Amino acid sequence: MSPMSNTRRPWVVGVSGASGTPYAASVIRALLDAGESVDLIVSRAARLTILDETGISFRDAHWRADLAQWLGRDEKELDDVRHWSAGDFAAGPSSGSYPAKGMLVVPATTGAAAGIALGLSKDLLQRTASVTLKERRPLVLCLRETPLTGATLQHLVALDAQGAVVLPASPGFYAGGSTAQELVDFVAGRVLDAVGVRHALYRRWSGRLGEAASTPGGTPETGPRRGE
């Protein structure tokens, strides 16, 4: 066993098939910028969504090149990213003994939320989320759906009761975001805030009215302040 395998503790990022793959890309880029290790699980449906929203194919055999294109990064910057196929139930994150810090499901479909709430484990994404809950590690679901049915609301309440953070993809405009990417980054930043990962994705609320209008682009402030 290599020394790296003894010390590496990644954040698992699960990408499900909801519209909103830019949220996932922003979260992954920010995790890498923060010096964090990333384990990536992309569901089968998410591959279709990535192709539809970006024109980029995500293939198991070429995942590194495809991920680099998706993130707009050089492949050399992805040395601390590990990809697991969604159908691989023997993957590391499927076990509670695998040393992950926690899991971020970005974006999360209502179907994925239901499967996780009920413990269905129909694919590696859902299985890893169930493991994250049973091991009492941080789990954040960035839900991207509207409107919500009563059944979905009950699933979200159940997830909250199990210790998950349910974080709808709802951008805040007080940060001064004026472009689609700035609004995406706001949501990604809130996902990272929920697990205490430092980032500089958006300008934080300071208590002074009018700052968003007077600060072009909503200049980010470095570092999260949990509870804001």
Side-chain angles (χ1 to χ4, degrees):
M1 184 177 292
S2 68
M4 176 61 77
S5 63
N6 284 328
T7 59
R8 184 177 182 273
R9 292 189 65 225
W11 288 101
V12 180
V13 177
V15 185
S16 73
S19 176
T21 56
Y23 296 121
S26 182
V27 165
I28 295 168
R29 283 193 295 262
L31 284 171
L32 295 176
D33 289 343
E36 299 285 348
S37 302
V38 174
D39 275 20
L40 181 62
I41 303 169
V42 181
S43 75
R44 291 184 175 89
R47 296 168 193 240
L48 297 176
T49 309
I50 292 171
L51 179 62
D52 183 51
E53 294 185 343
T54 69
I56 298 169
S57 298
F58 194 92
R59 303 158 292 177
D60 283 342
H62 305 281
W63 72 267
R64 186 175 294 274
D66 294 341
L67 179 61
Q69 184 182 6
W70 182 27
L71 300 181
R73 296 285 176 94
D74 190 280
E75 285 189 47
K76 295 178 181 178
E77 300 178 67
L78 306 180
D79 286 345
D80 210 6
V81 178
R82 186 168 186 178
H83 167 256
W84 301 95
S85 174
D88 184 4
F89 281 92
S94 69
S95 171
S97 66
Y98 187 77
K101 288 185 176 180
M103 184 176 188
L104 315 173
V105 184
V106 187
T109 64
T110 55
I116 296 167
L118 298 173
L120 298 182
S121 296
K122 75 168 189 176
D123 60 10
L124 180 61
L125 189 154
Q126 290 187 17
R127 168 60 186 170
T128 303
S130 294
V131 167
T132 303
L133 287 174
K134 79 180 183 68
E135 296 296 325
R136 302 296 191 266
R137 296 169 184 160
L139 173 65
V140 179
L141 281 81
C142 184
L143 196 75
R144 219 308 305 159
E145 184 65 86
T146 189
L148 300 177
T149 66
T152 295
L153 292 171
Q154 290 176 1
H155 292 145
L156 299 182
V157 170
L159 285 166
D160 178 79
Q162 294 176 57
V165 174
V166 178
L167 196 152
S170 302
F173 294 87
Y174 64 83
S178 58
T179 68
Q181 187 59 54
E182 287 170 338
L183 297 176
V184 165
D185 287 344
F186 177 90
V187 172
R190 297 300 288 147
V191 170
L192 296 176
D193 285 352
V195 293
V197 173
R198 294 180 65 83
H199 65 85
L201 289 174
Y202 68 89
R203 182 186 65 80
R204 297 178 180 279
W205 175 247
S206 67
R208 294 189 294 272
L209 294 175
E211 271 197 339
S214 62
T215 307
T219 303
E221 177 182 300
T222 302
R225 295 175 185 169
R226 299 192 67 178
E228 288 186 350

